[in-house]
Amino acid sequence: MTPGDTRPSTPDALALNPTVALLRMLLERNGTWALCKVFGAFALFLALHLVRVPLVLLVRILAGVIGELDGYTTRQITTPPRGPINHYYDPATTTAAGSWEHTRVRT
């Protein structure tokens, strides 16, 4: 402490909370309209972030769904067929030649 147990003063006489002191200095130096603009900008900042959160969640959900669809499509394409590919012709009645000229349609 200083001699005489008095508290030292600061040049701007800042309060315990520096944010409050800065806002008070803004109000004193620039007026109420400048303080309203600061609070308006802060409110717009908060509103944009509140709008952004659901959009980010939607994008993450869509990315997950697209990833699942991509995996499903890849599995379907790379898996070999389990049966005959041409379902219009019965493999038991077609000849071994495999040409379209030798196939017979079962009636």
Side-chain angles (χ1 to χ4, degrees), residues 23 26 30-45:
L23 291 175
L26 176 71
N30 299 332
T32 307
W33 183 241
L35 188 63
C36 289
K37 286 197 269 186
V38 168
F39 280 118
F42 183 67
L44 180 64
F45 173 80

Side-chain angles (χ1 to χ4, degrees), residues 23-65:
L23 291 175
R24 182 175 293 147
M25 286 186 334
L26 176 71
L27 180 63
E28 290 172 359
R29 291 180 185 172
N30 299 332
T32 307
W33 183 241
L35 188 63
C36 289
K37 286 197 269 186
V38 168
F39 280 118
F42 183 67
L44 180 64
F45 173 80
L46 287 178
L48 289 176
H49 279 285
L50 287 175
V51 167
R52 182 184 69 93
V53 169
L55 295 176
V56 168
L57 290 175
L58 178 67
V59 166
R60 288 187 180 180
I61 290 170
L62 286 176
V65 169

